[in-house]
Amino acid sequence: QLPYPIPEKIIRAAMQAIRDVASNPEENKEIHEYVRQRLDIKETLSRRLKKLSPKNFENLLHPVFQEDEIILIVVGGVLGAIAGLLQTKVAFSGSAAKAKSAAVLVGSLISSAGFYFLSEYSDTGKSTDYDA
């Protein structure tokens, strides 16, 4: 039985050995094959990811893209504004152009808010088992 607590130098040596085995798959084929078969990471991850609800899956991926999120939002906003201005210039002309543009803007805001709240509050957060 190992003494408690395990000495730090033994932990460091074990971690280094694990790193060495993991970084040299060609030299440690038997170990890698054994671990691959026993853990079956691909199948386990696939099965568990399929069980996640769309909202939970998004929450899982969100930290990965969080760093670039503000850039995507700003670029999307700028491109959307440019497209909207061009569309307004082309589609609405004449004396009622400002009223038509305001109506389209208000309608867009209302529909965007509706889609946002629908997506936020329609997800119950329950996982679905697709393997059944």
Side-chain angles (χ1 to χ4, degrees), residues 7 21 61-62 75 82 88 102:
V21 168
L61 289 179
H62 190 259
V75 169
I82 291 170
T88 302

Side-chain angles (χ1 to χ4, degrees), residues 20-32:
D20 290 344
V21 168
S23 64
N24 297 312
E26 293 299 320
E27 295 176 15
N28 304 295
K29 288 181 181 178
E30 297 86 12
I31 295 173
H32 279 264

Side-chain angles (χ1 to χ4, degrees), residues 48-59:
R48 289 185 180 176
L49 287 173
K50 287 178 183 177
K51 288 182 179 181
L52 291 176
S53 69
K55 186 67 175 171
N56 289 338
F57 186 72
E58 178 185 344
N59 290 340

Side-chain angles (χ1 to χ4, degrees), residues 41-112:
I41 293 173
K42 183 177 179 180
E43 176 60 32
T44 302
L45 278 176
S46 175
R47 187 173 13 87
R48 289 185 180 176
L49 287 173
K50 287 178 183 177
K51 288 182 179 181
L52 291 176
S53 69
K55 186 67 175 171
N56 289 338
F57 186 72
E58 178 185 344
N59 290 340
L60 176 73
L61 289 179
H62 190 259
V64 175
F65 299 105
Q66 195 168 15
E67 185 177 309
D68 298 326
E69 183 178 28
I70 191 68
I71 294 170
L72 292 171
I73 291 170
V74 169
V75 169
V78 169
L79 291 175
I82 291 170
L85 288 172
L86 289 173
Q87 184 179 10
T88 302
K89 282 288 190 190
V90 171
F92 304 127
S93 59
S95 60
K98 287 184 181 180
K100 290 178 185 177
S101 298
V104 169
L105 180 61
V106 169
S108 296
L109 288 173
I110 291 171
S111 64
S112 294

